Amino acid sequence: MNVSNSSFRGLGGQIHNFNAGPSILPRSVFEEASKAVLNFNDTGLSILEIGHRTPIFQAVMDETIALVKELMLLDDEHEVLFLHGGASTQFMQVPMNLLDDKETAAFTDTGVWSTKAIKEAKLFGKVEIVCSSKESNFTYIPKDFAVPNDAKYLHITTNNTIYGTQWQKIPKTSNSLVADMSSDIFSRVLEFNSFDLIYAGAQKNMGPAGVNLVVVNKNILGKVKRAIPTIMDYRNHIKEGSMLNTPPVFAVYVCMLTLRWLKAQGGVAAIEKLNNEKAALLYAAIDESPLFTGTVNKEDRSKMNVCFVMNDASLEAPFLQFTKEQGIVGIKGHRLVGGFRASLYNALPISSVQVLKQAMHEFALQYA
Ligand SMILES: *Cc1c(COP(=O)(O)O)cnc(C)c1O
């Protein structure tokens, strides 16, 4: 049975889930995953109680990796790993594997997550911050900056989840490119092979919390002099097919279901078209409204996380209450920005955006 999100009924009626992360996944994925908890593939066993080295789980890992390669159109130089921990673990693991202590990594500073990645990289080598929008509370993506030729890599955060900005154009660089794609992975078509390393915590657009996707060009590994602990060395995970130790089996399984769903939607290009429509609808509602204002530079607006405030801040609490009564959840802004943030991840149906738009319109009729 394929039940869409829009027909999901919570206790109080239909729910429209704009949470920033963990966040909405397709309803059909939840249904299949819950069945697998009770009886996985008609084995009479739960997916939670089988060995990760059994053929039935090996098939899950193989299919998940194959789906990533297919959906991202990866070449044979790029390896796909599913690793423990959130994206925050990659803030450390990336420089540990790629940056020697006398070498420099270049970073773009576009928000809290970039800032945290910078802090960890400094533990392993030198960091040069090549641009920052910190002085404006990260309301834009810097355009003019130079990357030192000898920088080992350039790090970008493709989508800034908290502030609602997104690199619409990936910077051209002769350096190795590393990206945190936690909040826009699989949401738009990019030339993924032009990156040497991509990482993403699963819980925004790909699956449940507890697993990381890492896509790495194997040719960049093995160049640092330091001894890397076994579990931190990407080469060991490549060699063992993401089974160096017990992988987060259930999280990987749910990623597989989500990627199957994405493929059935027509893949990344098809979902990007829908994501563009959803974002255009909501930004138009903000721009047309007498009550609301977007918080970031228009050309850098994120298609995933839409941040906006009310011109009269005293109306924010009543608006939140008004939307709550319509089943709209998860739109309270991050404390560093305030106002509202509506996250429009892949699984959010356009009908939920229409409900939010209508709520904004009706609220304005009462209060504007
Ligand atoms: C959520 C997020 C993170 C942190 O992910 P964890 O899995 O909680 O470590 C890092 N980067 C970006 C861009 C995020 O959106």
Side-chain angles (χ1 to χ4, degrees):
M1 191 176 53
N2 195 344
V3 182
S4 78
N5 289 294
S6 51
S7 64
F8 177 49
R9 296 201 160 261
L11 286 179
Q14 196 166 315
I15 300 282
H16 304 283
N17 182 1
F18 292 90
N19 274 317
S23 40
I24 187 168
L25 291 174
R27 182 75 189 151
S28 59
V29 166
F30 290 139
E31 281 169 1
E32 201 164 343
S34 62
K35 271 189 235 149
V37 169
L38 295 173
N39 180 5
F40 177 50
N41 280 2
D42 285 324
T43 54
L45 292 165
S46 167
I47 184 152
L48 303 179
E49 60 180 350
I50 57 169
H52 56 290
R53 298 190 194 280
T54 54
I56 46 172
F57 185 75
Q58 186 64 54
V60 170
M61 185 60 95
D62 292 347
E63 182 178 343
T64 315
I65 290 172
L67 280 164
V68 172
K69 286 187 175 162
E70 181 183 345
L71 290 163
M72 294 175 84
L73 301 171
L74 295 177
D75 62 29
D76 291 339
E77 306 304 305
H78 285 76
E79 299 279 351
V80 174
L81 300 174
F82 281 91
L83 305 180
H84 284 275
S88 303
T89 307
Q90 295 308 309
F91 296 163
M92 148 188 78
Q93 197 166 355
V94 169
M96 189 187 282
N97 279 267
L98 302 188
L99 186 64
D100 257 328
D101 50 4
K102 299 242 165 27
E103 293 174 331
T104 300
F107 276 75
T108 56
D109 182 25
T110 55
V112 163
W113 299 117
S114 311
T115 308
K116 290 189 179 188
I118 288 165
K119 176 170 178 246
E120 299 307 301
K122 282 179 178 167
L123 298 172
F124 297 94
K126 294 193 196 122
V127 165
E128 180 159 334
I129 298 172
V130 293
C131 60
S132 174
S133 48
K134 190 174 184 170
E135 86 289 346
S136 78
N137 199 27
F138 302 114
T139 53
Y140 68 96
I141 297 290
K143 306 288 180 318
D144 291 320
F145 57 89
V147 182
N149 281 333
D150 65 344
K152 202 71 187 296
Y153 58 88
L154 172 69
H155 180 283
I156 65 171
T157 309
T158 50
N159 183 69
N160 297 283
T161 327
I162 292 173
Y163 304 90
T165 62
Q166 187 174 29
W167 290 83
Q168 300 305 340
K169 269 214 202 105
I170 301 302
K172 289 241 174 311
T173 172
S174 55
N175 306 71
S176 194
L177 196 54
V178 172
D180 176 358
M181 293 195 189
S182 293
S183 53
D184 66 353
I185 189 88
F186 296 118
S187 73
R188 57 172 171 164
V189 174
L190 293 175
E191 179 40 50
F192 296 106
N193 290 310
S194 70
F195 294 83
D196 274 335
L197 195 146
I198 294 166
Y199 61 94
Q203 70 271 21
K204 312 268 168 48
N205 223 359
M206 186 172 45
V211 69
N212 265 323
L213 170 67
V214 174
V215 173
V216 60
N217 180 341
K218 59 190 171 196
N219 302 313
I220 64 167
L221 300 176
K223 307 260 162 85
V224 291
K225 291 187 208 82
R226 79 172 53 83
I228 304 172
T230 308
I231 195 76
M232 285 291 129
D233 191 328
Y234 294 125
R235 290 172 301 174
N236 296 330
H237 291 283
I238 292 171
K239 209 179 325 149
E240 300 297 328
S242 294
M243 297 268 206
L244 180 58
N245 67 330
T246 315
V249 288
F250 190 60
V252 171
Y253 176 68
V254 179
C255 288
M256 183 194 79
L257 296 178
T258 309
L259 295 174
R260 272 186 188 167
W261 171 87
L262 178 57
K263 187 178 166 182
Q265 307 302 302
V268 180
I271 211 80
E272 177 176 19
K273 200 163 160 280
L274 211 62
N275 287 335
N276 286 344
E277 283 172 32
K278 290 185 294 187
L281 192 64
L282 186 51
Y283 283 119
I286 292 166
D287 291 339
E288 285 159 13
S289 171
L291 295 184
F292 300 94
T293 306
T295 53
V296 304
N297 198 13
K298 279 192 183 171
E299 65 180 18
D300 302 321
R301 283 173 160 179
S302 166
K303 310 267 171 65
M304 292 282 98
N305 311 98
V306 177
C307 294
F308 53 104
V309 292
M310 292 188 92
N311 303 329
D312 175 355
S314 73
L315 290 179
E316 288 185 349
F319 179 67
L320 210 54
Q321 182 57 35
F322 182 75
T323 53
K324 196 174 156 195
E325 285 157 14
Q326 331 238 342
I328 293 168
V329 300
I331 62 163
K332 195 167 167 35
H334 191 280
R335 69 196 142 78
L336 295 172
V337 178
F340 304 97
R341 170 176 54 174
S343 297
L344 313 180
Y345 297 122
N346 288 351
L348 184 86
I350 197 161
S351 54
S352 286
V353 183
Q354 277 151 353
V355 168
L356 177 56
K357 180 175 180 165
Q358 184 62 23
M360 291 163 75
H361 178 67
E362 281 170 24
F363 191 80
L365 291 180
Q366 285 182 40
Y367 288 92

